[in-house]
Amino acid sequence: MSVSGRQFDDPALNTKLLTASKDVRQVGQETVGGVRTTHYEGTYSMTDALAKLSGDQRAQAQKSFGEAGFDKLNFDVWVDGRQLPRRVTVATPSGAKAAMKVTIDYTAFNVPVSVTVPPKSQVTDGADMLGGGGQNTPG
């Protein structure tokens, strides 16, 4: 989930955003969900990250991140031996206008999934939480 509920739930999009980093560094080896991984951390500017996206993706991300006032994000990513992400954490740096931290764990790849949408009473749009008046509330 992201500010709009769309940015951080797509592994391919996450990868594009993370590749905008100019300071990524290896932290060490860790086990995530029983899988041995290499842990990396870094930061990326929203300007550099948005430049990596296609027109539609860029417009949506720009709207979401712009409303929240994000100009830079910190990240950690844990990558397994097949070069697949097992965990991605993205957070605002200290002192940012709004605080956000999103952690996504990937437990399987290329397998069918079944998703049950929670009742609207259990869902909050991240943009609404940050005062952005988001439009993507499921339900």
Side-chain angles (χ1 to χ4, degrees):
M1 181 199 299
S2 75
V3 176
S4 72
R6 300 278 184 235
Q7 268 62 59
F8 295 116
D9 58 0
D10 178 348
L13 181 63
N14 284 336
T15 300
K16 286 181 184 178
L17 296 174
L18 299 180
T19 61
S21 177
K22 295 177 181 167
D23 65 356
V24 66
R25 62 202 159 278
Q26 183 176 333
V27 177
Q29 303 290 312
E30 298 175 30
T31 300
V32 175
V35 177
R36 185 105 170 120
T37 66
T38 302
H39 179 183
Y40 299 91
E41 68 180 14
T43 62
Y44 59 87
S45 76
M46 291 313 305
T47 301
D48 292 340
L50 292 171
K52 300 275 186 178
L53 304 179
S54 69
D56 289 344
Q57 291 173 327
R58 186 180 311 115
Q60 179 61 42
Q62 208 163 16
K63 180 179 185 296
S64 299
F65 293 125
E67 288 173 351
F70 299 153
D71 61 350
K72 178 180 167 185
L73 291 172
N74 300 330
F75 72 88
D76 289 85
V77 60
W78 290 260
V79 180
D80 70 15
R82 296 185 301 157
Q83 300 304 301
L84 295 170
R86 288 301 178 152
R87 174 175 291 153
V88 176
T89 300
V90 179
T92 53
S94 61
K97 176 181 166 183
M100 175 201 69
K101 182 175 182 181
V102 176
T103 299
I104 300 172
D105 286 331
Y106 298 97
T107 57
F109 298 89
N110 298 319
V111 296
V113 297
S114 175
V115 177
T116 302
V117 176
K120 192 169 187 163
S121 64
Q122 295 179 5
V123 176
T124 300
D125 187 299
D128 288 340
M129 292 170 43
L130 296 171
Q135 302 293 316
N136 296 320
T137 303

